[in-house]
Coordinates of all heavy atoms in Angstrom, one line a residue:
M199 N 32.9 -3.3 13.5 CA 31.7 -3.0 12.7 C 31.0 -1.8 13.3 O 31.0 -1.5 14.5 CB 30.7 -4.2 12.8 CG 29.6 -4.1 11.8 SD 28.2 -5.2 12.3 CE 27.4 -4.2 13.5
F200 N 30.5 -1.0 12.4 CA 29.7 0.2 12.8 C 28.4 0.3 12.0 O 28.3 -0.2 10.9 CB 30.5 1.5 12.8 CG 31.0 1.9 11.4 CD1 30.2 2.8 10.7 CD2 32.2 1.4 10.9 CE1 30.6 3.2 9.4 CE2 32.6 1.8 9.6 CZ 31.8 2.7 8.9
I201 N 27.5 1.1 12.6 CA 26.3 1.3 11.8 C 26.4 2.7 11.1 O 26.8 3.7 11.8 CB 25.1 1.3 12.8 CG1 24.9 -0.1 13.4 CG2 23.8 1.8 12.1 CD1 23.9 -0.1 14.6
L202 N 26.1 2.7 9.9 CA 26.2 3.9 9.1 C 24.9 4.8 9.3 O 23.8 4.3 8.9 CB 26.4 3.6 7.6 CG 26.6 4.8 6.7 CD1 27.9 5.5 7.0 CD2 26.6 4.4 5.2
K203 N 25.1 5.9 9.9 CA 23.9 6.8 10.1 C 23.9 8.0 9.2 O 22.8 8.5 8.9 CB 23.9 7.3 11.6 CG 23.7 6.1 12.6 CD 24.0 6.6 14.0 CE 24.0 5.5 15.0 NZ 25.0 5.7 16.0
G204 N 25.0 8.3 8.7 CA 25.1 9.5 7.8 C 26.5 9.7 7.3 O 27.4 9.2 7.8
I205 N 26.6 10.5 6.3 CA 27.9 10.7 5.6 C 28.8 11.5 6.5 O 30.0 11.4 6.4 CB 27.6 11.4 4.2 CG1 28.8 11.0 3.3 CG2 27.4 12.8 4.3 CD1 28.7 9.6 2.6
S206 N 28.3 12.3 7.4 CA 29.1 13.2 8.3 C 30.0 12.4 9.2 O 31.1 12.8 9.5 CB 28.2 14.1 9.1 OG 27.4 13.3 9.9
Q207 N 29.5 11.2 9.5 CA 30.3 10.3 10.3 C 31.6 9.8 9.6 O 32.5 9.4 10.2 CB 29.3 9.1 10.5 CG 29.6 8.0 11.4 CD 28.5 6.9 11.3 OE1 27.6 7.0 10.5 NE2 28.7 5.9 12.0
L208 N 31.5 9.9 8.3 CA 32.6 9.4 7.5 C 33.6 10.4 7.1 O 34.7 10.1 6.5 CB 32.1 8.7 6.2 CG 31.2 7.5 6.3 CD1 30.5 7.2 5.0 CD2 32.0 6.3 6.7
E209 N 33.3 11.7 7.3 CA 34.2 12.8 6.8 C 35.7 12.6 7.1 O 36.5 12.7 6.1 CB 33.7 14.1 7.4 CG 32.6 14.7 6.5 CD 31.9 15.9 7.1 OE1 32.4 16.4 8.2 OE2 31.0 16.4 6.5
K210 N 36.0 12.3 8.3 CA 37.4 12.1 8.6 C 38.1 11.0 7.9 O 39.2 11.1 7.4 CB 37.6 11.9 10.1 CG 37.8 13.2 10.9 CD 38.2 12.9 12.3 CE 38.0 14.1 13.2 NZ 38.0 13.8 14.6
A211 N 37.3 9.9 7.9 CA 37.8 8.7 7.2 C 38.0 8.9 5.7 O 38.9 8.4 5.1 CB 36.9 7.5 7.5
I212 N 37.0 9.7 5.1 CA 37.1 9.9 3.7 C 38.3 10.8 3.4 O 39.0 10.6 2.4 CB 35.8 10.6 3.2 CG1 34.6 9.6 3.2 CG2 36.0 11.2 1.8 CD1 33.3 10.2 2.9
A213 N 38.6 11.8 4.2 CA 39.7 12.7 4.1 C 41.0 11.8 4.1 O 41.9 12.1 3.3 CB 39.7 13.7 5.1
K214 N 41.0 10.9 5.0 CA 42.2 10.0 5.1 C 42.4 9.1 3.9 O 43.5 8.9 3.4 CB 42.1 9.2 6.4 CG 43.4 8.6 6.9 CD 43.3 8.0 8.2 CE 44.6 7.3 8.6 NZ 44.5 6.5 9.8
A215 N 41.2 8.6 3.5 CA 41.3 7.7 2.3 C 41.7 8.5 1.0 O 42.5 7.9 0.2 CB 39.9 7.1 2.0
K216 N 41.4 9.8 1.0 CA 41.8 10.6 -0.2 C 43.3 10.8 -0.2 O 43.9 11.0 -1.2 CB 41.0 11.9 -0.2 CG 39.7 11.8 -0.8 CD 39.0 13.2 -0.9 CE 37.6 13.1 -1.4 NZ 36.7 14.2 -1.0
K217 N 43.8 10.9 1.0 CA 45.2 11.2 1.2 C 46.0 9.9 0.9 O 47.0 9.9 0.2 CB 45.5 11.6 2.7 CG 46.6 12.6 2.8 CD 46.5 13.2 4.2 CE 47.9 13.6 4.7 NZ 47.8 14.0 6.1
I218 N 45.6 8.8 1.5 CA 46.3 7.5 1.4 C 46.0 6.8 0.0 O 46.8 6.1 -0.5 CB 45.9 6.6 2.6 CG1 46.4 7.3 3.9 CG2 46.5 5.2 2.4 CD1 46.0 6.6 5.1
R219 N 44.8 7.0 -0.5 CA 44.4 6.4 -1.8 C 44.6 4.9 -1.8 O 45.4 4.4 -2.5 CB 45.1 7.0 -3.0 CG 44.7 8.5 -3.2 CD 45.5 9.0 -4.4 NE 45.1 10.3 -4.7 CZ 44.1 10.6 -5.5 NH1 43.4 9.7 -6.0 NH2 43.8 11.9 -5.8
P220 N 43.9 4.2 -0.9 CA 44.1 2.7 -0.9 C 43.5 2.1 -2.2 O 42.6 2.7 -2.8 CB 43.3 2.3 0.3 CG 42.3 3.3 0.5 CD 42.9 4.6 0.0
R221 N 43.9 1.0 -2.6 CA 43.3 0.3 -3.7 C 42.1 -0.4 -3.3 O 42.1 -1.2 -2.3 CB 44.3 -0.7 -4.3 CG 44.5 -0.5 -5.8 CD 45.5 -1.3 -6.4 NE 45.1 -2.7 -6.4 CZ 46.0 -3.7 -6.8 NH1 47.2 -3.4 -7.0 NH2 45.5 -4.9 -6.8
V222 N 41.0 -0.2 -4.0 CA 39.8 -0.9 -3.6 C 39.4 -1.9 -4.7 O 39.4 -1.6 -5.9 CB 38.6 0.1 -3.5 CG1 37.3 -0.7 -3.1 CG2 38.9 1.1 -2.5
E223 N 39.3 -3.2 -4.3 CA 39.0 -4.2 -5.3 C 37.6 -4.7 -5.1 O 37.2 -5.0 -3.9 CB 40.0 -5.4 -5.2 CG 41.3 -5.0 -5.8 CD 42.3 -6.2 -5.8 OE1 41.9 -7.3 -5.4 OE2 43.4 -6.0 -6.2
F224 N 36.9 -4.8 -6.1 CA 35.5 -5.3 -6.1 C 35.5 -6.8 -6.0 O 36.1 -7.5 -6.8 CB 34.8 -4.8 -7.4 CG 33.4 -5.3 -7.5 CD1 32.3 -4.7 -6.8 CD2 33.1 -6.4 -8.3 CE1 31.0 -5.1 -7.0 CE2 31.7 -6.8 -8.5 CZ 30.7 -6.2 -7.8
D225 N 34.8 -7.3 -5.0 CA 34.7 -8.8 -4.8 C 33.4 -9.2 -5.3 O 33.2 -9.9 -6.3 CB 34.9 -9.1 -3.3 CG 35.4 -10.5 -3.2 OD1 35.4 -11.3 -4.2 OD2 35.8 -10.9 -2.0
C226 N 32.3 -8.7 -4.7 CA 31.0 -8.9 -5.2 C 30.2 -7.7 -4.6 O 30.7 -7.0 -3.7 CB 30.3 -10.2 -4.8 SG 30.2 -10.5 -3.1
F227 N 29.0 -7.5 -5.0 CA 28.2 -6.4 -4.5 C 28.1 -6.4 -2.9 O 27.6 -7.4 -2.4 CB 26.8 -6.3 -5.1 CG 26.1 -5.1 -4.7 CD1 26.5 -3.8 -5.1 CD2 25.0 -5.2 -3.8 CE1 25.8 -2.7 -4.7 CE2 24.3 -4.0 -3.4 CZ 24.7 -2.8 -3.8
G228 N 28.7 -5.4 -2.3 CA 28.7 -5.4 -0.8 C 29.9 -6.0 -0.2 O 30.0 -6.0 1.1
R229 N 30.8 -6.4 -1.0 CA 32.0 -7.0 -0.4 C 33.3 -6.5 -1.2 O 33.3 -6.7 -2.5 CB 31.9 -8.5 -0.5 CG 33.0 -9.3 0.3 CD 32.8 -10.8 0.0 NE 34.0 -11.4 0.4 CZ 34.2 -12.1 1.6 NH1 33.2 -12.2 2.4 NH2 35.3 -12.6 1.9
Y230 N 34.2 -5.9 -0.5 CA 35.3 -5.3 -1.2 C 36.6 -5.6 -0.5 O 36.6 -5.8 0.7 CB 35.1 -3.7 -1.3 CG 33.7 -3.4 -1.8 CD1 32.7 -3.2 -0.9 CD2 33.5 -3.4 -3.1 CE1 31.4 -2.9 -1.3 CE2 32.2 -3.1 -3.6 CZ 31.2 -2.9 -2.7 OH 29.9 -2.7 -3.2
R231 N 37.7 -5.5 -1.2 CA 39.0 -5.7 -0.6 C 39.7 -4.3 -0.7 O 39.8 -3.8 -1.8 CB 39.8 -6.8 -1.3 CG 39.5 -8.2 -0.8 CD 40.5 -9.2 -1.4 NE 40.5 -9.1 -2.9 CZ 39.8 -9.9 -3.6 NH1 39.1 -10.8 -3.1 NH2 39.8 -9.8 -4.9
V232 N 40.3 -3.9 0.4 CA 40.9 -2.6 0.4 C 42.4 -2.8 0.9 O 42.6 -3.4 1.9 CB 40.2 -1.6 1.3 CG1 40.9 -0.2 1.3 CG2 38.7 -1.5 1.0
S233 N 43.3 -2.2 0.2 CA 44.7 -2.4 0.5 C 45.0 -1.7 1.8 O 44.6 -0.5 2.1 CB 45.6 -1.9 -0.6 OG 45.4 -0.5 -0.8
G234 N 45.8 -2.3 2.7 CA 46.2 -1.7 4.0 C 47.5 -0.9 3.9 O 48.3 -1.1 2.9
S235 N 47.8 -0.1 4.8 CA 49.0 0.7 4.8 C 50.2 -0.1 5.0 O 51.3 0.3 4.6 CB 48.9 1.8 5.9 OG 48.7 1.2 7.2
K236 N 50.1 -1.3 5.6 CA 51.3 -2.1 5.7 C 51.3 -3.3 4.8 O 51.8 -4.4 5.1 CB 51.3 -2.6 7.2 CG 51.7 -1.5 8.2 CD 51.5 -2.0 9.6 CE 51.6 -0.8 10.5 NZ 50.6 -0.9 11.6
G237 N 50.6 -3.1 3.7 CA 50.5 -4.2 2.7 C 49.4 -5.1 3.0 O 48.8 -5.1 4.1
G238 N 49.0 -6.0 2.1 CA 47.9 -6.9 2.3 C 46.6 -6.2 2.1 O 46.6 -5.0 1.8
F239 N 45.5 -6.9 2.3 CA 44.2 -6.4 2.0 C 43.3 -6.6 3.2 O 43.4 -7.6 3.9 CB 43.6 -7.0 0.8 CG 44.1 -6.5 -0.5 CD1 45.2 -7.0 -1.1 CD2 43.4 -5.4 -1.1 CE1 45.7 -6.5 -2.3 CE2 43.9 -4.9 -2.3 CZ 45.0 -5.4 -2.9
Y240 N 42.4 -5.7 3.4 CA 41.3 -5.9 4.4 C 40.0 -6.1 3.7 O 39.9 -5.5 2.6 CB 41.2 -4.7 5.3 CG 42.4 -4.4 6.2 CD1 43.2 -3.3 6.0 CD2 42.8 -5.3 7.2 CE1 44.3 -3.1 6.8 CE2 43.9 -5.1 8.0 CZ 44.7 -4.0 7.8 OH 45.8 -3.8 8.6
T241 N 39.2 -6.9 4.2 CA 37.9 -7.1 3.6 C 36.9 -6.2 4.3 O 36.8 -6.2 5.5 CB 37.5 -8.6 3.7 OG1 38.5 -9.4 3.1 CG2 36.1 -8.9 3.0
V242 N 36.1 -5.5 3.4 CA 35.1 -4.6 4.0 C 33.7 -5.1 3.4 O 33.6 -5.4 2.3 CB 35.2 -3.1 3.5 CG1 34.1 -2.3 4.0 CG2 36.6 -2.6 4.0
I243 N 32.8 -5.3 4.4 CA 31.5 -5.8 4.0 C 30.4 -4.8 4.3 O 30.3 -4.4 5.5 CB 31.2 -7.2 4.7 CG1 32.1 -8.2 4.1 CG2 29.7 -7.6 4.4 CD1 32.2 -9.5 4.9
C244 N 29.7 -4.3 3.3 CA 28.6 -3.4 3.6 C 27.3 -4.1 3.3 O 27.1 -4.7 2.3 CB 28.7 -2.2 2.5 SG 30.3 -1.6 2.3
K245 N 26.4 -4.0 4.3 CA 25.1 -4.6 4.1 C 24.0 -3.9 4.9 O 24.3 -3.2 5.8 CB 25.2 -6.1 4.4 CG 25.5 -6.4 5.9 CD 25.6 -7.9 6.0 CE 26.1 -8.3 7.4 NZ 26.3 -9.7 7.5
K246 N 22.8 -4.3 4.5 CA 21.7 -3.7 5.2 C 21.2 -4.8 6.1 O 20.9 -5.9 5.7 CB 20.6 -3.4 4.1 CG 20.0 -2.0 4.3 CD 19.0 -1.7 3.2 CE 18.8 -0.2 3.0 NZ 18.0 0.1 1.9
S247 N 21.0 -4.5 7.4 CA 20.5 -5.5 8.3 C 19.0 -5.6 8.2 O 18.4 -4.7 7.6 CB 20.9 -5.1 9.8 OG 20.3 -3.9 10.1
D248 N 18.4 -6.6 8.9 CA 17.0 -6.8 8.8 C 16.2 -5.6 9.3 O 15.1 -5.4 8.8 CB 16.6 -8.1 9.6 CG 17.2 -9.3 8.9 OD1 17.5 -9.3 7.7 OD2 17.4 -10.3 9.6
N249 N 16.7 -4.9 10.3 CA 16.0 -3.8 10.8 C 16.2 -2.5 10.0 O 15.9 -1.4 10.5 CB 16.2 -3.6 12.3 CG 17.7 -3.7 12.7 OD1 18.5 -3.5 11.8 ND2 18.0 -3.9 13.9
G250 N 16.8 -2.6 8.9 CA 17.0 -1.4 8.0 C 18.3 -0.6 8.2 O 18.5 0.3 7.5
Y251 N 19.1 -1.0 9.2 CA 20.3 -0.3 9.4 C 21.4 -0.7 8.3 O 21.4 -1.9 8.0 CB 20.9 -0.6 10.8 CG 20.2 0.1 11.9 CD1 19.6 -0.6 12.9 CD2 20.1 1.5 11.9 CE1 18.9 0.0 13.9 CE2 19.5 2.1 13.0 CZ 18.9 1.4 14.0 OH 18.2 2.0 15.0
K252 N 22.2 0.2 7.9 CA 23.3 -0.1 7.1 C 24.5 -0.4 8.0 O 24.9 0.5 8.8 CB 23.6 1.0 6.1 CG 22.7 1.1 4.9 CD 23.1 2.2 4.0 CE 22.0 2.4 3.0 NZ 21.8 3.8 2.7
T253 N 25.1 -1.5 7.8 CA 26.3 -1.8 8.7 C 27.5 -2.0 7.8 O 27.4 -2.5 6.6 CB 26.1 -3.1 9.5 OG1 25.9 -4.2 8.7 CG2 24.9 -2.9 10.4
V254 N 28.6 -1.6 8.3 CA 29.9 -1.7 7.6 C 30.9 -2.4 8.5 O 31.1 -2.0 9.7 CB 30.4 -0.3 7.2 CG1 31.7 -0.5 6.3 CG2 29.4 0.5 6.5
A255 N 31.4 -3.5 8.0 CA 32.4 -4.2 8.8 C 33.7 -4.3 8.0 O 33.7 -4.5 6.8 CB 31.9 -5.6 9.1
C256 N 34.8 -4.0 8.7 CA 36.1 -4.2 8.1 C 37.0 -5.1 9.0 O 36.7 -5.2 10.2 CB 36.8 -2.8 8.0 SG 38.5 -2.8 7.4
T257 N 37.9 -5.8 8.4 CA 38.7 -6.8 9.1 C 39.9 -6.2 9.8 O 40.7 -6.9 10.4 CB 39.1 -7.9 8.2 OG1 39.7 -7.4 7.1 CG2 37.9 -8.8 7.8
C258 N 40.1 -4.8 9.8 CA 41.3 -4.2 10.4 C 41.1 -4.0 11.9 O 39.9 -4.2 12.4 CB 41.6 -2.9 9.7 SG 40.6 -1.5 10.2
K259 N 42.1 -3.7 12.6 CA 42.1 -3.6 14.1 C 41.2 -2.4 14.5 O 40.5 -2.6 15.5 CB 43.5 -3.3 14.6 CG 44.4 -4.6 14.6 CD 44.4 -5.1 16.1 CE 44.7 -6.6 16.1 NZ 46.0 -7.0 15.5
G260 N 41.3 -1.3 13.8 CA 40.5 -0.1 14.2 C 39.0 -0.4 14.2 O 38.2 -0.1 15.1
A261 N 38.6 -1.1 13.1 CA 37.1 -1.4 12.9 C 36.7 -2.4 14.0 O 35.5 -2.3 14.4 CB 36.9 -1.9 11.5
E262 N 37.6 -3.2 14.5 CA 37.2 -4.1 15.5 C 36.7 -3.4 16.8 O 35.9 -3.9 17.5 CB 38.4 -5.0 15.9 CG 38.4 -6.4 15.4 CD 39.7 -7.2 15.6 OE1 40.2 -7.0 16.7 OE2 40.1 -7.8 14.7
K263 N 37.3 -2.2 17.0 CA 36.9 -1.4 18.1 C 35.8 -0.5 17.8 O 35.4 0.4 18.6 CB 38.1 -0.6 18.6 CG 39.3 -1.4 19.1 CD 40.5 -0.4 19.4 CE 41.8 -1.2 19.4 NZ 42.9 -0.2 19.1
G264 N 35.2 -0.6 16.6 CA 34.0 0.2 16.3 C 34.4 1.5 15.7 O 33.6 2.4 15.5
L265 N 35.7 1.7 15.3 CA 36.1 3.0 14.6 C 35.7 2.9 13.2 O 35.7 1.9 12.5 CB 37.6 3.2 14.8 CG 38.2 3.3 16.2 CD1 39.7 3.3 16.1 CD2 37.6 4.6 16.8
V266 N 35.5 4.2 12.6 CA 35.3 4.3 11.2 C 36.6 4.4 10.5 O 37.3 5.4 10.6 CB 34.4 5.5 10.9 CG1 34.1 5.6 9.4 CG2 33.1 5.4 11.6
C267 N 37.1 3.3 9.9 CA 38.4 3.4 9.3 C 38.3 3.8 7.8 O 37.3 3.9 7.2 CB 39.0 2.0 9.4 SG 38.1 0.7 8.5
Y268 N 39.5 4.2 7.3 CA 39.5 4.7 5.9 C 39.3 3.6 4.9 O 38.8 3.9 3.8 CB 40.8 5.5 5.6 CG 42.0 4.7 5.5 CD1 42.4 4.2 4.2 CD2 42.8 4.4 6.6 CE1 43.5 3.4 4.1 CE2 44.0 3.6 6.4 CZ 44.3 3.1 5.2 OH 45.5 2.4 5.0
H269 N 39.5 2.4 5.3 CA 39.2 1.3 4.4 C 37.6 1.2 4.1 O 37.2 1.1 3.0 CB 39.6 -0.1 5.0 CG 40.9 -0.1 5.7 ND1 41.0 -0.3 7.0 CD2 42.1 0.1 5.2 CE1 42.3 -0.2 7.3 NE2 43.0 0.0 6.2
S270 N 36.9 1.4 5.2 CA 35.4 1.4 5.1 C 35.0 2.5 4.3 O 34.1 2.4 3.4 CB 34.8 1.5 6.5 OG 35.2 0.4 7.3
A271 N 35.6 3.7 4.5 CA 35.2 4.9 3.7 C 35.5 4.7 2.2 O 34.6 5.0 1.4 CB 35.9 6.1 4.2
A272 N 36.6 4.1 1.9 CA 37.0 3.9 0.5 C 36.1 2.9 -0.1 O 35.6 3.1 -1.3 CB 38.4 3.4 0.4
A273 N 35.8 1.8 0.6 CA 34.9 0.8 0.1 C 33.4 1.3 -0.1 O 32.8 1.1 -1.1 CB 34.9 -0.4 1.0
L274 N 33.0 2.2 0.9 CA 31.7 2.7 0.9 C 31.5 3.6 -0.3 O 30.4 3.6 -0.9 CB 31.4 3.5 2.2 CG 30.7 2.7 3.2 CD1 30.7 3.5 4.5 CD2 29.3 2.3 2.8
S275 N 32.5 4.4 -0.7 CA 32.3 5.3 -1.8 C 32.0 4.6 -3.1 O 31.3 5.0 -3.9 CB 33.5 6.3 -1.9 OG 34.7 5.6 -2.1
L276 N 32.7 3.4 -3.2 CA 32.4 2.5 -4.3 C 31.1 1.9 -4.2 O 30.3 1.9 -5.2 CB 33.5 1.5 -4.4 CG 33.4 0.4 -5.5 CD1 33.5 1.0 -6.9 CD2 34.4 -0.7 -5.4
H277 N 30.8 1.4 -3.0 CA 29.5 0.7 -2.8 C 28.3 1.6 -3.0 O 27.3 1.2 -3.7 CB 29.5 0.2 -1.3 CG 28.2 -0.5 -0.9 ND1 27.9 -1.7 -1.4 CD2 27.2 -0.1 -0.1 CE1 26.8 -2.1 -0.9 NE2 26.3 -1.2 -0.1
I278 N 28.4 2.9 -2.6 CA 27.3 3.8 -2.7 C 27.1 4.1 -4.2 O 25.9 4.1 -4.7 CB 27.5 5.1 -1.9 CG1 27.4 4.8 -0.4 CG2 26.5 6.2 -2.3 CD1 27.9 5.9 0.5
G279 N 28.2 4.2 -4.9 CA 28.1 4.5 -6.4 C 27.4 3.3 -7.1 O 26.6 3.5 -8.0
L280 N 27.8 2.1 -6.7 CA 27.2 0.9 -7.3 C 25.7 0.7 -7.0 O 24.9 0.4 -7.8 CB 28.0 -0.4 -6.8 CG 29.4 -0.5 -7.4 CD1 30.0 -1.7 -6.7 CD2 29.4 -0.8 -8.9
A281 N 25.4 1.0 -5.7 CA 24.0 0.9 -5.3 C 23.1 1.9 -6.0 O 22.0 1.6 -6.4 CB 23.9 1.1 -3.8
R282 N 23.7 3.1 -6.3 CA 22.9 4.1 -7.0 C 22.7 3.6 -8.4 O 21.6 3.8 -9.0 CB 23.7 5.4 -7.0 CG 22.9 6.6 -6.6 CD 23.8 7.8 -6.4 NE 23.9 8.1 -5.0 CZ 24.9 8.9 -4.6 NH1 25.8 9.3 -5.4 NH2 24.9 9.2 -3.3
R283 N 23.7 3.1 -9.0 CA 23.6 2.6 -10.4 C 22.6 1.5 -10.5 O 21.8 1.4 -11.4 CB 25.0 2.1 -10.9 CG 25.2 2.3 -12.3 CD 26.6 2.0 -12.7 NE 27.7 2.7 -12.0 CZ 28.9 2.4 -12.0 NH1 29.4 1.3 -12.6 NH2 29.8 3.2 -11.4
Q284 N 22.6 0.6 -9.5 CA 21.6 -0.5 -9.5 C 20.2 0.0 -9.3 O 19.3 -0.5 -10.0 CB 21.9 -1.4 -8.3 CG 22.8 -2.6 -8.6 CD 22.7 -3.7 -7.5 OE1 22.1 -3.5 -6.5 NE2 23.3 -4.8 -7.8
A285 N 20.0 1.0 -8.5 CA 18.7 1.6 -8.3 C 18.1 2.3 -9.5 O 16.9 2.3 -9.7 CB 18.8 2.6 -7.1
T286 N 19.0 2.9 -10.3 CA 18.6 3.6 -11.5 C 18.5 2.7 -12.7 O 18.0 3.1 -13.8 CB 19.5 4.8 -11.8 OG1 20.8 4.4 -11.8 CG2 19.3 5.9 -10.7
A287 N 19.1 1.5 -12.6 CA 19.1 0.6 -13.8 C 17.7 0.1 -14.2 O 16.9 -0.1 -13.3 CB 20.1 -0.6 -13.5
Ligands
ZN228 ZN1 39.5 -1.0 8.2

């Protein structure tokens, strides 16, 4: 899990996601399934903690170590779009 502080933190992971183009499935708002490179799906959970931090958790090995993985980046791009739509609705 990592705390999202800004988009610059995601640049590398976004570039990787654009290259790999994982499938992102919407589960519910803040919860997504992203296809892994070796098949199967990882679950990515985006949420706002009580102290206002945005946290992103992915079930893959890299994220366990606190790395920003491309699954998180892929899920976040969908999440941010949805959050924006919700805010303007
Ligand atoms: Zn991941």
Side-chain angles (χ1 to χ4, degrees):
M199 190 201 83
F200 65 91
I201 295 168
L202 182 67
K203 293 171 190 142
I205 206 83
S206 60
Q207 186 185 1
L208 295 169
E209 272 171 5
K210 269 190 196 162
I212 288 171
K214 198 170 175 187
K216 275 183 183 158
K217 213 168 154 189
I218 298 173
R219 292 179 176 275
R221 230 173 73 189
V222 183
E223 286 184 4
F224 177 80
D225 204 351
C226 61
F227 184 70
R229 194 185 161 100
Y230 312 93
R231 277 190 303 264
V232 184
S233 62
S235 54
K236 287 169 194 145
F239 281 89
Y240 295 113
T241 302
V242 178
I243 294 168
C244 313
K245 61 182 173 187
K246 228 177 204 174
S247 64
D248 295 335
N249 48 19
Y251 286 119
K252 278 183 195 140
T253 62
V254 185
C256 177
T257 51
C258 77
K259 282 262 156 62
E262 253 173 45
K263 295 177 202 153
L265 298 174
V266 180
C267 59
Y268 73 89
H269 318 113
S270 298
L274 264 171
S275 60
L276 177 64
H277 180 69
I278 291 167
L280 290 173
R282 225 172 257 160
R283 213 173 298 163
Q284 264 196 354
T286 52

